[in-house]
Amino acid sequence: MSDTFKLNIDGKDIEVPRHYTLLQACEEAGAEIPRFCFHERLSIAGNCRMCLVQWVGAPKPIASCAQTVGEMRMNPDGSAPNIKTTGDYVQKARNGVMEFLLINHPLDCPICDQGGECDLQDQAVAYGRAGSRYELNKRAVEDKNMGPLVKTIMTRCIQCTRCVRFAAEVAGVEEIGMISRGEDAEITTYLEKSLTSELSGNVIDLCPVGALTSKPYAYNARPWELRKTESIDVMDAMGAAIRVDAKGSAVMRILPRISEEVNEEWLSDKSRFVWDGLSRQRLDKPYIRENGKLRAAGWSEALSLAAEKLKGDASKIAAFAGDLVGVEAMKATKDLLSALGATQMDCRLSGQSLGVTANGEKLPRESYILNPTLMGVEDADALLLIGTNPRLEAAVWNARIRKAWLWNELKIGVIGEGADLTYDYTHISSSPDAINDLGEFGDVLKNAKRPMIVVGEEATRGESGYATLKAAHELAKSCGAIVTGDEAWAGFGVLHTAASRVGALDLGFLPGDGAKTGHELLSSNCEDMDTVILLGVDEVPMTQFGDAFVIYIGSHGDAGAARADLILPAPAYTEQSATYVNTEGRVQTTTMAVQPKGEAKAEWAIMRAISPLVGHQLPYDSLDQLRALLREENDVFAGLNFAPGHSGAAALDAALPEGSQALSDEPLYCPIGDFYLTNPIARASLTMAECSLQKQTLEVSAAAE
């Protein structure tokens, strides 16, 4: 039997794969099919019937979303089935469906947040009546409390069940369902409780009417008032494609863009709703600490003080990079410190063994990126997670893992902390020493055609961190996860948690020869340091900087600013164009959606302004010149939006340098304690604070039960 099927659609002969739905076949032929319940990434429901088409010879219209092409029959004369997507017959059928959908729908379009983006409104223009023939009382449905993110007006609901299917199939948290039947049918949450999934906000995008809308965004703006800017997300290391919608000087909402290779069309709740934190607790002017208190200062005074502190002994100057800082900021800082003769710099403040070994031997790029790529998990048939919790560290990628588990029968093993990952897995052990003895899952890996091993940042921390990385790499080689040649497969990689980490490692923002690591300096409370530059560093105990003079460069007044002796304000990721490299080695750039707050200046520009004051002027005066130098020094930065993927198999096939430590038997834990409060922007957000409080309340309630 052929894998394709022939159809005649609106007089056009086409041939499509047999697994296509009739709706997809019609769209392949260029027809536009209205729909509400159908979604390409969800299972078929066939609820709304808006997609009706005429199959010539059939007794009634066909719901094209629920009809698989391969199950259709040829005409008695052997000709291809004749499908009509237009005409009076189809128009009348769709008009009738639309009339039924609008029977109970409230006429509140003027105040609906979905206005201007409503599928029901748009399709009613094409298939609706001028008035309703329904004269009885409309039914009303009580609104549900789905938590601080999703606002409900359930009387608008048309029971398409997109939200139900998303929760069950993609998010993996079956908290939404339909109760009752017929006229009494309604969508609700389990026991009327709030949503707990880290992906719950995606139901807002999926809802084709105004039943589920954004609670934080409610009544703030109309869609046509917003400036729309394409950018990328920095709340984790995935680099999800986003659209930043702004009005005036404020970001009003953040929405996902389609990126099949990274985030498909989903976005985590933190990435979606963190936008209110962009306007709170902002650093908008320089500050100098005098007599224990901060006072506002001008840029000239602040830069002069910074230059004065950097003119001292170069061996006593250090710079650390935080989780949200862009490549350009680290490049300018590195260039300035190198010109001064300073070698103390690091981006691995928790002691990760990435980029270089303990004795300073450089590691290949393939040893610290996710070589199989985020999308590659769909091609794998066995996955071993070591010291990582993807649900908290990369929520959207976790949904992709669930997708592979659900549809491709992916087998998953975990070494590390046990947690609800939304899919079944074999919990091998809590400690990394189990890498050498995987038990039954070892056979699963060896028998797999395309095994995949992913190491989390947590697993590379501490004295034995490099031993874990090396052991995982050797396991990947022995079980066939690294294959060179025509059918290359690079099934070994690292899942990062910080947007800045891979870019910093590519740049070489690491200790120079003979210098201490950032973790070593912090462990000694920076006792040998006179001056410390913090590029958005807020995630370490500030007491670890001892008596050093701290220069903080960042966007928000968080822990780093509270400790700083000198504060230099910088833009947030929505206020500048900056380069980031995601966990799979993909170079990406943010785009300025709004102007920086107050007197904030780009981090690289601050370093450029300081450089002539210390007698070492940096060789670039613009962002373009800086990026040109970046590309010249490292061709990694020459290719935008490109993930190396399996091209790194040959480099991975080489053994990593030997280490001195053995595998640890200490348990591995997820480095993220609170998903919603992982960075200064999130901690400034009232919405994230409410989500965090709700999560804590639910955990306490569950523990009590």
Side-chain angles (χ1 to χ4, degrees):
M1 183 182 292
S2 173
D3 292 333
T4 60
F5 192 85
K6 293 181 179 179
L7 293 163
N8 181 284
I9 299 176
D10 294 334
K12 181 179 179 180
D13 291 325
I14 67 164
E15 192 168 351
V16 297
R18 300 183 76 88
H19 69 267
Y20 267 34
T21 64
L22 184 54
L23 186 151
Q24 292 171 308
C26 291
E27 292 193 331
E28 192 78 12
E32 184 177 342
I33 308 296
R35 85 291 301 268
F36 292 116
C37 67
F38 178 79
H39 193 278
E40 290 81 357
R41 303 187 197 276
L42 303 176
S43 62
I44 304 297
N47 290 346
C48 72
R49 321 308 281 186
M50 198 66 209
C51 63
L52 294 175
V53 297
Q54 182 183 5
W55 182 358
V56 178
K60 60 182 180 180
I62 303 294
S64 59
C65 73
Q67 177 64 60
T68 305
V69 167
E71 296 176 349
M72 300 178 70
R73 65 181 185 275
M74 307 298 284
N75 291 327
D77 61 357
S79 62
N82 185 12
I83 306 298
K84 294 184 178 181
T85 66
T86 59
D88 292 341
Y89 183 85
V90 174
Q91 183 75 21
K92 185 178 180 180
R94 293 174 182 173
N95 288 353
V97 171
M98 177 60 68
E99 187 173 10
F100 275 114
L101 290 175
L102 293 176
I103 278 180
N104 289 310
H105 198 81
L107 300 178
D108 58 354
C109 295
I111 63 161
C112 179
D113 260 334
Q114 197 83 353
E117 300 171 322
C118 179
D119 291 346
L120 183 65
Q121 199 175 69
D122 293 343
Q123 293 182 39
V125 171
Y127 302 103
R129 296 173 58 90
S132 175
R133 293 180 291 176
Y134 187 73
E135 297 179 350
L136 302 177
N137 293 330
K138 293 189 175 187
R139 77 158 191 168
V141 180
E142 186 177 348
D143 295 340
K144 316 300 179 185
N145 180 17
M146 293 190 179
L149 304 178
V150 181
K151 179 180 174 66
T152 64
I153 302 90
M154 300 312 295
T155 302
R156 299 172 183 165
C157 179
I158 61 171
Q159 290 87 45
C160 71
T161 69
R162 280 187 179 184
C163 56
V164 177
R165 286 173 283 149
F166 172 84
E169 298 166 12
V170 180
V173 182
E174 299 184 27
E175 297 175 322
I176 308 177
M178 179 183 287
I179 60 173
S180 301
R181 301 181 64 184
E183 180 78 0
D184 298 321
E186 61 180 90
I187 303 294
T188 186
T189 56
Y190 178 67
L191 297 179
E192 304 280 334
K193 291 185 176 181
S194 303
L195 302 179
T196 61
S197 170
E198 294 80 12
L199 302 171
S200 64
N202 291 288
V203 300
I204 298 168
D205 299 335
L206 288 171
C207 184
V209 298
L212 305 177
T213 57
S214 172
K215 187 175 285 188
Y217 171 73
Y219 309 124
N220 277 340
R222 309 298 282 174
W224 50 85
E225 298 176 319
L226 304 175
R227 298 189 312 275
K228 301 170 178 62
T229 306
E230 294 186 353
S231 188
I232 58 117
D233 174 58
V234 300
M235 293 296 111
D236 54 34
M238 284 188 58
I242 61 172
R243 192 187 83 195
V244 181
D245 290 357
K247 182 180 179 181
S249 61
V251 174
M252 305 303 293
R253 64 178 181 179
I254 296 174
L255 300 176
R257 290 187 293 118
I258 294 178
S259 175
E260 295 294 347
E261 294 182 339
V262 181
N263 59 299
E264 299 184 278
E265 60 185 79
W266 316 127
L267 197 61
S268 76
D269 289 346
K270 181 169 53 180
S271 301
R272 181 187 294 268
F273 295 106
V274 79
W275 52 266
D276 69 315
L278 293 166
S279 60
R280 301 184 71 252
Q281 299 181 13
R282 292 301 303 270
L283 301 174
D284 58 355
K285 62 182 67 174
Y287 289 89
I288 297 174
R289 189 175 299 278
E290 289 182 350
N291 300 320
K293 295 183 179 181
L294 292 171
R295 67 166 178 85
W299 270 108
S300 178
E301 182 185 6
L303 294 175
S304 297
L305 178 58
E308 178 187 335
K309 295 298 180 179
L310 294 174
K311 288 179 180 178
D313 186 350
S315 66
K316 296 186 175 182
I317 299 173
F320 301 130
D323 294 350
L324 305 182
V325 65
V327 170
E328 292 87 355
M330 292 182 285
K331 167 65 175 170
T333 304
K334 180 186 177 185
D335 287 351
L336 181 58
L337 263 64
S338 298
L340 294 171
T343 59
Q344 302 282 2
M345 63 187 80
D346 210 342
C347 62
R348 310 159 305 163
L349 303 187
S350 299
Q352 298 97 330
S353 298
L354 298 169
V356 294
T357 64
N359 58 8
E361 191 172 354
K362 189 175 181 181
L363 297 174
R365 188 176 194 242
E366 289 75 16
S367 70
Y368 60 79
I369 65 172
L370 190 68
N371 296 280
T373 72
L374 298 165
M375 190 178 184
V377 73
E378 296 184 33
D379 296 324
D381 49 356
L383 171 65
L384 176 61
L385 300 172
I386 303 174
T388 179
N389 181 337
R391 181 171 177 179
L392 300 182
E393 297 173 28
V396 176
W397 188 55
N398 193 68
R400 198 186 285 266
I401 297 174
R402 174 176 169 81
K403 176 183 177 183
W405 169 79
L406 195 63
W407 303 110
N408 301 344
E409 298 183 354
L410 175 69
K411 295 179 175 61
I412 305 160
V414 171
I415 295 177
E417 185 179 13
D420 180 9
L421 298 179
T422 72
Y423 40 78
D424 295 336
Y425 61 86
T426 301
H427 188 234
I428 301 166
S429 174
S430 297
S431 54
D433 59 358
I435 294 175
N436 294 328
D437 184 11
L438 298 176
E440 294 181 359
F441 196 80
D443 296 330
V444 173
L445 279 181
K446 290 178 181 179
N447 295 329
K449 295 180 179 179
R450 288 193 167 182
M452 182 171 169
I453 297 174
V454 176
V455 181
E457 279 193 8
E458 173 64 22
T460 69
R461 299 182 185 190
E463 294 182 354
S464 62
Y466 180 71
T468 303
L469 184 71
K470 182 173 173 58
H473 177 259
E474 291 174 350
L475 174 63
K477 291 184 65 177
S478 65
C479 74
I482 301 173
V483 180
T484 59
D486 294 337
E487 298 185 3
W489 173 255
F492 171 83
V494 176
L495 180 66
H496 292 267
T497 59
S500 65
R501 196 85 71 231
V502 176
L505 295 171
D506 286 341
L507 187 64
F509 199 86
L510 298 166
D513 294 338
K516 294 181 179 179
T517 67
H519 185 63
E520 289 172 339
L521 287 175
L522 293 175
S523 298
S524 65
N525 290 334
C526 296
E527 59 185 7
D528 297 328
M529 297 295 108
D530 290 338
T531 303
V532 175
I533 300 174
L534 301 183
L535 292 175
V537 175
D538 295 277
E539 310 308 324
V540 298
M542 293 298 144
T543 55
Q544 293 181 306
F545 296 109
D547 298 326
F549 185 89
V550 175
I551 302 173
Y552 180 83
I553 305 176
S555 61
H556 282 70
D558 203 79
R563 168 60 183 85
D565 300 291
L566 173 62
I567 297 174
L568 304 177
Y573 71 104
T574 55
E575 299 162 3
Q576 63 175 323
S577 178
T579 301
Y580 292 85
V581 186
N582 79 345
T583 191
E584 54 182 357
R586 187 186 304 270
V587 180
Q588 304 169 297
T589 58
T590 60
T591 307
M592 179 187 291
V594 294
Q595 292 295 317
K597 297 294 185 285
E599 301 175 21
K601 301 183 185 299
E603 297 97 328
W604 75 265
I606 294 173
M607 292 302 168
R608 170 60 181 82
I610 293 174
S611 64
L613 301 179
V614 296
H616 297 280
Q617 184 166 315
L618 296 178
Y620 34 80
D621 299 318
S622 68
L623 184 61
D624 288 340
Q625 291 177 353
L626 172 54
R627 286 177 172 172
L629 186 60
L630 264 175
R631 293 191 293 268
E632 181 183 328
E633 294 178 352
N634 190 340
D635 58 6
V636 163
F637 298 105
L640 282 177
N641 206 33
F642 168 76
H646 304 298
S647 62
L652 268 180
D653 197 42
L656 296 181
E658 292 295 329
S660 58
Q661 296 292 331
L663 287 171
S664 171
D665 59 358
E666 294 292 323
L668 295 170
Y669 297 99
C670 177
I672 297 177
D674 191 328
F675 171 78
Y676 300 102
L677 304 177
T678 55
N679 60 64
I681 303 176
R683 289 190 287 273
S685 166
L686 293 176
T687 303
M688 293 296 98
E690 194 172 352
C691 290
S692 176
L693 180 61
Q694 176 190 269
K695 182 176 182 272
Q696 294 174 26
T697 304
L698 291 173
E699 287 177 348
V700 170
S701 299
E705 292 174 2

